[in-house]
Amino acid sequence: NDLVLELAKTQLMKMITAQSVEMAKIQHSLQKLQRDSCTGIKSVGLPVTHNTRQYSQGAWMKDPLGIMGVDTIFVMELFSGRKVLEEFENMDKFKAGIVHKKHTLPYNYDGTGAVVYGPYLYYNRENSPYVVKYNIKT
């Protein structure tokens, strides 16, 4: 009888410890959610098509710093074998397909992971492990 009671106590302590660890994980997750700036999102609607292009692959982006213009949109079509960056003045021009400027990059790009940050475009050089830093302003 005492052995059964001791085993039950031991099992109960294991369960309490496991629940304690789980509660700490939940509390940590809640704290992260409270710090997350996206928690103000109430709902997500249906997707909106802003533009269609000849190719289904590629990347479009904006400069998060706004140095290249807060409304400027950059587009790189396809994911390899090209070296053209298109610049659109704003969303309306992008929707209408009115290119403000075409930049010819020094090397072809690979992938869709390019990013504009300030006056620079960072992209993966085709068939290489190198990231190219291209000054858009020059």
Side-chain angles (χ1 to χ4, degrees):
N1 216 6
D2 288 341
L3 181 60
V4 171
L5 190 56
E6 283 301 314
L7 286 173
K9 283 182 185 178
T10 303
Q11 188 62 27
L12 188 57
M13 288 304 291
K14 285 181 183 178
M15 289 172 57
I16 290 171
T17 303
Q19 281 185 338
S20 224
V21 168
E22 191 62 32
M23 286 298 289
K25 288 179 184 177
I26 291 169
Q27 194 170 24
H28 180 66
S29 292
L30 281 172
Q31 288 170 348
K32 278 177 76 174
L33 275 174
Q34 289 169 345
R35 289 191 311 257
D36 188 352
S37 63
C38 293
T39 57
I41 295 175
K42 301 293 182 210
S43 67
V44 176
L46 295 173
V48 176
T49 300
H50 292 286
N51 192 346
T52 58
R53 304 291 294 200
Q54 181 179 358
Y55 305 104
S56 59
Q57 305 93 4
W60 66 290
M61 62 210 94
K62 293 173 100 176
D63 170 21
L65 301 178
I67 291 171
M68 296 304 297
V70 293
D71 296 324
T72 305
I73 297 169
F74 298 92
V75 174
M76 297 171 77
E77 286 196 309
L78 291 174
F79 56 87
S80 67
R82 301 208 31 168
K83 57 180 181 179
V84 175
L85 173 70
E86 294 177 324
E87 183 178 332
F88 297 85
E89 290 180 306
N90 55 43
M91 182 60 79
D92 290 333
K93 300 275 175 96
F94 174 64
K95 288 179 180 181
I98 301 169
V99 177
H100 173 67
K101 189 173 182 185
K102 281 191 179 187
H103 303 271
T104 302
L105 306 174
Y107 307 103
N108 287 353
Y109 52 83
D110 239 350
T112 58
V115 64
V116 171
Y117 193 77
Y120 298 102
L121 168 72
Y122 297 88
Y123 68 96
N124 186 25
R125 182 176 173 177
E126 186 177 47
N127 296 319
S128 81
Y130 301 110
V131 172
V132 177
K133 179 181 178 182
Y134 174 76
N135 188 333
I136 300 169
K137 287 191 169 190
T138 58

